Amino acid sequence: MYDTSDFRKGLKVLIEGQPYVIVEHQFVKPGKGQAFTRTRLRNMITGSTLDRTYRSGEKLAPADMEERQMQYLYPEGDDRVFMDTKTYEQITLTEEQLGANVYFLLDGTTVDILLFEGRAIGVTPPTFVELQVTETEPGFKGDTSSNVTKPATLSTGLTVHVPLFVNQGDVLKIDTRSNEYVERVKK
Amino acid sequence: MLSDQRLDAVDIKTVLQRTPPAYVRVSGRVASVQNPKEPRRSVDSGGSIGSSDSVVILRDLTGELPAQCLAAPPLGSWVIVEGQWNGAEVTQGRCMVQSVPRLPFPAAESDWRWLHDEVSRRGRYLMQRAQVMKTVRAFFDRHSFIEVETPLLVPSPGLDVHLSAFEVEDASPSRFLITSPEYQMKRLVGGGLPRIYQTCKCFRQEELGPLHEPEFSMLEWYRALATSGDLMRDTEELVTEVARAILGGTTQIPALGRPVDVKPPWARIRVDDAFRRYAGVEVDDILPDEEHFFRVLVEKVQPQLGSPKPVFLTHWPASMASLARLESEDPSRADRFEAYIDGVELCNGFGELVDPIEQRQRLEADQARRASLGLPVYPIDERFMSALQEGLPPCSGNALGLDRLVMLTLGAPRVQDVIAIPTDRAVL
């Protein structure tokens, strides 16, 4: 069991049978009153947020989560199919469950599949992926400043802000945590 | 920046810009070198070089300043530059490298905290905090208060059910760090000091967050023959004076993001009315369930208090103020007030209870509650009780969180930003 003093960002807890992750938490206490921890949690299945105020010392059960490495195979309608390369077991996740991570799935990408009580509920892509630019305004040669940006559409459909020197066909390194451009990859 | 010029809560560049071009001597840490050139001769620690080739940015907690310097002193070294201040930088000078850290391992530049802008922001907060202290002292001085210092190490830290004191190990007889200087200051009022104030550290276990530090600064003051209304007026005036002094005349403080105009008068609202207005509940329907009361207070009521003007929350339930007198027209409520700015509790004051018999009954009740909750039961402070038995004049007192006042006035997001060395900070 976790005590309110164990609370930290990213802690996974069980509330009414659902897995939640702590997004924010703050110690609050009236000078002459009871201490609480004001907490914001995100439901790891539905993505909805929940605000709860816990009395100091209150306890929450840890959510039984497991991560397994799997390979992305192919899309199937609105679903995406993954396979455990050791057991050949296959699982599917919906676009809704994948959220923005749907933009980081390339054929053969190895990802971490998040399982709650044995059921797949989400995916953690590699921290960085390399994606090709399919559409952007022509670049300006010699302009290497990165303060001015323009939008660029990538092969998976993701749109990011890139420096002016980036051209169509360039391969870019993208940070999957922030969905942001990191650098151009020399190819 | 160390210099012969006086620093008064502004950085050295501002000081110098006010002074006509002159010969100055400044020191600081080399934060960057703008146009490095090859050194004309080798640099020894402590050596003196005559040429003025590069422009270095000197930085410390008080700010930064460009200065022409020898070819390229190492980043991070402390240097003294003597030369002419031309209105923008120190030129034509001598540069002395004072020390270069020599480490057996290469330090990563990203770890050099003095390279970051945060350093000067933090320094500015600390200089402004010093200015707040000066303003506070001037305020109480003008109102004929005497500044006092009372013990931090006491035989009883107070019996408040919701405060957890630090006990000093191996002390005999047992000693605790104060959670508030209240008992000691009231003894002085009883002894015959009718207007006293002090700023001191208070210590409360298990309190850590953006608005809490286990060791924090309290400003506490007492007025004999005065009501809680007088203390609320003191509070309004003091906070306004601090804002004006720090923010250049304005009474609008940035607070936690929603600017608040602290100009008096501040509204007074009774706890009952605030619960009705912001939570739609009757306090008497909730009590005696105190956990429920505090949950409504922190979830629904507090976040709505003190914006766009500060507010006083008054007439607290009697059970939550064992050192306050009860309201004569309604003994179920105590003569207690708190001020709120942008949802933040700034102070807590009482019309003080001076009846020794009633005081002892209330403290014994607190002891019994602590025992029933399995909390340590501290002794009743008999020296405080003697002061009451000898007779305390009618008086009122207020305790104000200084770190929070500085934080709200400067618009810093956490009290830790305005505390020189907070507990969770390993480095400056």
Side-chain angles (χ1 to χ4, degrees):
Chain A
M1 295 293 268
Y2 296 124
D3 189 80
T4 47
S5 60
D6 300 320
F7 281 15
R8 55 178 201 283
K9 267 185 203 177
L11 192 72
K12 298 177 180 87
V13 296
L14 198 63
I15 300 168
E16 287 148 17
Q18 298 265 308
Y20 282 84
V21 58
I22 294 181
V23 185
E24 276 169 45
H25 64 100
Q26 188 184 338
F27 176 80
V28 287
K29 180 183 180 303
K32 296 200 173 290
Q34 168 98 47
F36 297 95
T37 302
R38 192 182 283 152
T39 314
R40 173 161 290 180
L41 305 116
R42 197 183 65 242
N43 186 311
M44 297 179 70
I45 295 173
T46 65
S48 61
T49 55
L50 177 71
D51 289 321
R52 281 271 172 101
T53 305
Y54 292 100
R55 182 171 37 80
S56 276
E58 218 168 315
K59 289 180 169 58
L60 289 178
D64 171 26
M65 310 300 295
E66 187 199 342
E67 278 200 337
R68 245 158 89 191
Q69 273 205 346
M70 291 200 184
Q71 198 174 41
Y72 170 61
L73 295 184
Y74 50 80
E76 199 175 69
D78 284 344
D79 296 345
R80 298 289 184 279
V81 182
F82 301 83
M83 182 181 71
D84 187 322
T85 50
K86 288 191 201 92
T87 63
Y88 302 109
E89 182 195 347
Q90 290 192 5
I91 62 120
T92 46
L93 283 169
T94 63
E95 272 185 6
E96 201 185 340
Q97 286 174 316
L98 289 164
N101 289 327
V102 77
Y103 295 122
F104 305 121
L105 298 178
L106 293 169
D107 292 352
T109 311
T110 302
V111 295
D112 286 324
I113 298 285
L114 196 59
L115 300 137
F116 170 62
E117 291 173 350
R119 200 152 45 91
I121 59 165
V123 62
T124 312
T127 311
F128 299 104
V129 296
E130 292 178 2
L131 296 172
Q132 195 170 36
V133 179
T134 51
E135 206 184 317
T136 189
E137 307 222 335
F140 301 98
K141 220 180 181 149
D143 192 341
T144 54
S145 95
S146 52
N147 294 330
V148 186
T149 61
K150 59 177 181 179
T153 307
L154 309 178
S155 53
T156 55
L158 180 69
T159 305
V160 292
H161 286 277
V162 299
L164 296 181
F165 59 76
V166 168
N167 280 310
Q168 208 163 307
D170 283 352
V171 175
L172 307 181
K173 186 169 166 184
I174 305 296
D175 188 326
T176 63
R177 294 163 301 187
S178 58
N179 297 1
E180 277 168 9
Y181 163 88
V182 182
E183 63 185 8
R184 181 163 60 170
V185 185
K186 294 262 186 309
K187 282 252 158 116
Chain B
M1 206 89 15
L2 180 69
S3 87
D4 302 334
Q5 269 68 24
R6 190 178 137 80
L7 277 175
D8 200 7
V10 284
D11 68 287
I12 184 66
K13 201 167 172 183
T14 315
V15 173
L16 288 177
Q17 272 158 357
R18 281 190 212 138
T19 40
Y23 189 78
V24 295
R25 183 180 141 93
V26 297
S27 76
R29 207 198 272 272
V30 178
S32 71
V33 181
Q34 295 199 326
N35 52 341
K37 290 178 185 157
E38 285 304 302
R40 287 193 195 154
R41 45 193 255 214
S42 63
V43 181
D44 298 321
S45 188
S48 153
I49 277 85
S51 65
S52 300
D53 286 334
S54 308
V55 174
V56 297
I57 302 296
L58 300 183
R59 179 182 283 163
D60 66 11
L61 277 172
T62 68
E64 53 178 47
L65 191 72
Q68 288 186 2
C69 203
L70 74 150
L75 283 184
S77 54
W78 287 97
V79 298
I80 296 176
V81 179
E82 289 180 356
Q84 200 71 26
W85 170 249
N86 71 1
E89 60 184 36
V90 183
T91 63
Q92 302 161 359
R94 276 161 26 95
C95 177
M96 284 152 284
V97 179
Q98 293 298 298
S99 82
V100 183
R102 289 181 203 284
L103 299 174
F105 49 87
E109 275 194 25
S110 57
D111 292 342
W112 295 351
R113 56 190 188 275
W114 46 267
L115 280 178
H116 302 293
D117 292 341
E118 197 216 354
V119 167
S120 27
R121 186 173 70 240
R122 198 167 162 70
R124 201 175 62 242
Y125 283 158
L126 296 183
M127 287 191 291
Q128 287 171 318
R129 181 187 175 111
Q131 186 85 337
V132 171
M133 296 303 297
K134 268 198 223 172
T135 311
V136 166
R137 292 209 158 87
F139 174 88
F140 285 107
D141 196 32
R142 211 177 59 240
H143 288 88
S144 310
F145 280 74
I146 293 171
E147 182 170 6
V148 298
E149 289 174 285
T150 58
L152 304 182
L153 216 49
V154 296
S156 172
L159 294 164
D160 194 311
V161 174
H162 299 294
L163 292 183
S164 174
F166 288 94
E167 181 165 7
V168 178
E169 245 182 78
D170 298 335
S172 176
S174 66
R175 286 289 179 272
F176 303 86
L177 292 172
I178 57 165
T179 54
S180 127
E182 178 149 16
Y183 291 160
Q184 289 72 33
M185 290 185 80
K186 279 174 157 174
R187 287 171 66 193
L188 291 178
V189 174
L193 288 176
R195 290 184 190 181
I196 52 172
Y197 80 100
Q198 83 168 319
T199 64
C200 64
K201 289 295 188 81
C202 292
F203 305 84
R204 296 178 180 180
Q205 272 207 71
E206 293 155 25
E207 299 196 6
L208 184 60
L211 299 176
H212 293 87
E213 263 287 297
E215 174 177 350
F216 66 99
S217 296
M218 190 81 105
L219 165 63
E220 191 149 331
W221 72 98
Y222 288 83
R223 272 182 187 268
L225 312 176
T227 64
S228 54
D230 296 324
L231 275 277
M232 286 190 251
R233 276 187 291 281
D234 282 345
T235 311
E236 292 171 336
E237 280 177 37
L238 172 71
V239 172
T240 305
E241 219 163 288
V242 165
R244 285 214 167 101
I246 305 305
L247 303 175
T250 178
T251 55
Q252 181 109 342
I253 63 170
L256 281 184
R258 301 182 290 181
V260 173
D261 188 353
V262 299
K263 203 164 82 185
W266 301 355
R268 276 95 170 127
I269 177 170
R270 294 178 178 221
V271 169
D272 287 89
D273 293 331
F275 271 58
R276 215 170 281 138
R277 186 183 305 173
Y278 300 118
V281 293
E282 291 294 324
V283 169
D284 283 331
D285 292 346
I286 294 175
L287 292 178
D289 184 350
E290 290 202 0
E291 183 182 330
H292 187 185
F293 175 91
F294 288 120
R295 190 177 283 277
V296 173
L297 181 68
V298 303
E299 282 187 339
K300 304 249 173 71
V301 181
Q302 284 188 342
Q304 309 211 52
L305 296 176
S307 175
K309 291 276 296 174
V311 67
F312 287 111
L313 203 52
T314 66
H315 294 77
W316 287 72
S319 62
M320 296 171 191
S322 45
L323 297 169
R325 55 177 281 276
L326 300 180
E327 291 289 350
S328 32
E329 92 270 22
D330 178 6
S332 75
R333 296 295 180 262
D335 185 4
R336 169 184 167 195
F337 67 89
E338 286 189 347
Y340 284 85
I341 293 180
D342 198 4
V344 178
E345 175 190 334
L346 180 66
C347 67
N348 179 82
F350 298 144
E352 305 292 346
L353 175 62
V354 295
D355 177 342
I357 294 164
E358 189 181 342
Q359 183 67 81
R360 187 176 290 278
Q361 284 167 354
R362 295 224 218 145
L363 292 178
E364 282 169 357
D366 279 348
Q367 283 182 317
R369 279 185 71 199
R370 290 191 70 94
S372 70
L373 292 167
L375 298 170
V377 179
Y378 309 124
I380 288 176
D381 188 330
E382 289 300 338
R383 297 182 295 185
F384 165 64
M385 288 309 300
S386 317
L388 262 67
Q389 283 151 20
E390 284 170 13
L392 210 60
C395 60
S396 296
N398 191 18
L400 181 148
L402 256 178
D403 307 309
R404 289 185 181 181
L405 176 62
V406 177
M407 175 191 82
L408 294 167
T409 306
L410 301 182
R414 314 180 319 147
V415 287
Q416 284 78 12
D417 293 326
V418 300
I419 293 173
I421 301 186
T423 47
D424 66 346
R425 218 175 159 90
V427 293
L428 265 187

